[in-house]
Amino acid sequence: MECRFCRGPELCDKIKQHKDQTDMQRSEAYIRTSHCGRLPAVRAATTAARGAAIDSASPQVEEVIKKQVQIGIDCVGDGEFWNGRNFLYYGQQLSGVTARELRPGERGSGREDTRERDTFPKLYEDMDRVGTAFCVPGEEPRFFPSQKKMVVTGPIKGRATDAVRREIDVFKEALKVAGGAEEAFICVFAPGWLDHFIYDEHYGNEEEFVFALADAMREEYRAVVDAGFILQIDDPGVVTSWDMIKPEPSVQDYRRYLKIRIDALNHALAGIPEDRVRHHFCWGSWHGAHTHDLPLKEIIDLVFQVHAQTYSFEAGNVRHEHEWTIWKDVKLPAGKIIMPGVVSHATNLVEHPELIAQRIRNFAGAVGRENVLAGTDCGLGTRVHDDLVWAKLSALVEGARLASKALWAG
């Protein structure tokens, strides 16, 4: 087995020592690597394909795991193979939720009505016309404006656990066949992101509605952790909600809005060990201007209230790369880990490993090398060209290797 620290033919002493420890998440011997979920090659396996593949390990899932292991990713994912488990899926699996035709002036999701869209109407008109949010060459049209709206018409109840467990079984079997993965994760939506696509027409109370979504997601979270996987909570709403509120709120009002959703998420996570949870937030994967993004410094203290060990966030794109400096002043809570994105989903340019290593060293210098995992800004699959996803992940691993050599020198 190749050593991920020195690239020699066998494990060096640093890695042997690390592998003997029970905590495989922390970068105690070298900078560990992961990503945020979506990868190419498995996206055809949507809901329609599940019946044929769900009772046996999918060759597509095996292949995407093998590629990650061969590249040297430490904590692998299934590439969001089950991306049929999207917002429409939850509408089908949550009782009390139904789809209806849009009424005049309505939007089907929060991302279709933002202050940035108002500022750059031509940009978003062009994107809507061709059905894209990512502007990737060869991309098939996918993101036309919604024709229906998911609404809550009665008490929300979760009933997706059996489906999730079948999907987990497929991932487990694929991991056995693929071999070599040290650690694996599964992504699940946060209640505070679902409420951007499922609208309340029953509770009439914001907090009651969001906590009902949290209760409905609880069993899915537990199923992932009980299966032995890292639970990644996908929670872009932490910062993207800011631009979806009209008129622009005060930061103080927005923090109150966000606190309700963080409390609801923690309600859903109750009883799950923090060291099995990582929390991912980003400013949205679409290739827009992002001039209306909320600065990280305004909400980072609230993010730390999420009951997770690891926090994954955008740090590699040109709108947010400068924000690494806040970590010089922000005190990372004891026992916590950060997973900054050091390669971006926002450009087809493949980052140079030396730049990636520099980014990693910046964060390590601010919070300690053992508290840093190297990650991606968001899911790469469908956000950059398929061929370049693997090149970016290879650059990520090489950059982490270079950073490790410098950080563990001597």
Side-chain angles (χ1 to χ4, degrees):
M1 181 177 179
E2 183 182 72
C3 176
R4 297 183 186 184
F5 180 78
C6 66
R7 290 296 187 186
E10 296 181 355
L11 298 182
C12 69
D13 290 340
K14 288 180 179 289
I15 305 304
K16 286 178 182 177
Q17 179 183 3
H18 180 64
K19 287 176 72 65
D20 289 339
Q21 299 171 356
T22 56
D23 184 359
M24 295 299 293
Q25 293 184 326
R26 194 173 296 276
S27 294
E28 294 179 343
Y30 66 110
I31 296 295
R32 291 173 58 79
T33 57
S34 190
H35 57 88
C36 291
R38 184 165 296 188
L39 297 174
V42 295
R43 61 184 175 183
T46 55
T47 306
R50 290 158 78 165
I54 206 160
D55 293 323
S56 61
S58 164
Q60 290 175 296
V61 179
E62 294 169 19
E63 183 60 27
V64 83
I65 295 169
K66 286 178 182 177
K67 284 186 176 182
Q68 292 171 76
V69 172
Q70 289 167 358
I71 286 171
I73 297 296
D74 294 294
C75 184
V76 305
D78 65 356
E80 293 187 26
F81 176 75
W82 307 112
N83 58 27
R85 186 150 52 90
N86 56 20
F87 302 108
L88 290 176
Y89 169 80
Y90 280 113
Q92 297 163 358
Q93 293 298 318
L94 300 177
S95 64
V97 178
T98 187
R100 65 160 172 78
E101 297 296 324
L102 292 175
R103 296 167 182 163
E106 283 188 332
R107 301 287 187 179
S109 73
R111 64 186 176 193
E112 295 175 32
D113 188 23
T114 66
R115 301 195 304 276
E116 183 172 293
R117 278 179 169 264
D118 295 341
T119 303
F120 300 99
K122 185 62 165 58
L123 167 66
Y124 285 100
E125 285 172 8
D126 290 343
M127 292 172 71
D128 289 345
R129 186 178 63 254
V130 298
T132 182
F134 309 120
C135 307
V136 176
E139 178 186 14
E140 296 180 2
R142 294 180 297 130
F143 289 98
F144 293 111
S146 304
Q147 301 302 311
K148 293 187 176 182
K149 186 173 186 176
M150 306 296 297
V151 295
V152 180
T153 57
I156 300 173
K157 300 290 183 183
R159 57 188 184 196
T161 305
D162 288 343
V164 171
R165 284 176 176 156
R166 290 197 299 273
E167 295 166 6
I168 286 170
D169 288 343
V170 172
F171 190 24
K172 278 186 172 181
E173 187 61 30
L175 283 164
K176 289 179 184 177
V177 175
E182 296 180 1
E183 193 174 46
F185 70 95
I186 289 178
C187 304
V188 187
F189 293 129
W193 187 229
L194 282 176
D195 75 343
H196 290 65
F197 302 87
I198 299 175
Y199 292 83
D200 177 35
E201 293 187 356
H202 169 72
Y203 293 96
N205 178 285
E206 177 187 21
E207 186 167 349
E208 189 177 352
F209 166 50
V210 177
F211 270 76
L213 287 171
D215 280 327
M217 298 303 294
R218 185 195 303 269
E219 287 187 62
E220 188 162 340
Y221 296 166
R222 291 179 181 274
V224 170
V225 173
D226 289 347
F229 295 115
I230 302 300
L231 169 64
Q232 176 174 302
I233 299 294
D234 282 342
D235 199 7
V238 165
V239 279
T240 59
S241 300
W242 165 259
D243 189 35
M244 297 178 185
I245 299 174
K246 296 181 180 180
E248 180 179 319
S250 68
V251 172
Q252 184 177 10
D253 285 343
Y254 184 72
R255 285 172 60 87
R256 282 193 287 266
Y257 166 96
L258 182 57
K259 184 65 165 60
I260 291 172
R261 284 150 181 81
I262 288 176
D263 288 347
L265 174 57
N266 286 337
H267 175 71
L269 291 170
I272 296 177
E274 288 190 1
D275 63 4
R276 306 307 299 164
V277 181
R278 73 185 192 196
H279 179 252
H280 170 70
F281 65 96
C282 63
W283 283 265
S285 56
W286 61 87
H287 292 186
H290 288 276
T291 53
H292 289 61
D293 289 358
L294 183 71
L296 178 61
K297 66 181 180 181
E298 302 291 359
I299 50 84
I300 189 60
D301 60 318
L302 290 178
V303 169
F304 286 153
Q305 294 181 21
V306 174
H307 295 168
Q309 181 183 42
T310 301
Y311 302 100
S312 160
F313 54 92
E314 283 189 70
N317 74 52
V318 293
R319 194 70 196 180
H320 294 283
E321 182 178 5
H322 68 286
E323 291 182 310
W324 76 267
T325 57
I326 76 166
W327 296 94
K328 293 180 178 181
D329 302 316
V330 170
K331 182 173 177 55
L332 186 67
K336 301 292 188 177
I337 300 169
I338 61 173
M339 191 175 95
V342 289
V343 299
S344 177
H345 63 285
T347 176
N348 273 340
L349 284 168
V350 178
E351 293 82 352
H352 197 286
E354 291 283 3
L355 173 62
I356 294 169
Q358 182 183 87
R359 290 170 171 171
I360 292 170
R361 292 197 302 271
N362 285 341
F363 283 103
V367 303
R369 63 189 185 184
E370 71 281 2
N371 299 320
V372 177
L373 305 180
T376 60
D377 277 352
C378 193
L380 298 176
T382 72
R383 283 76 186 261
V384 299
H385 195 279
D386 286 0
D387 282 355
L388 301 180
V389 170
W390 305 110
K392 281 177 173 279
L393 289 180
S394 295
L396 169 66
V397 171
E398 178 62 13
R401 185 186 70 83
L402 293 175
S404 296
K405 280 197 167 184
L407 293 168
W408 276 267

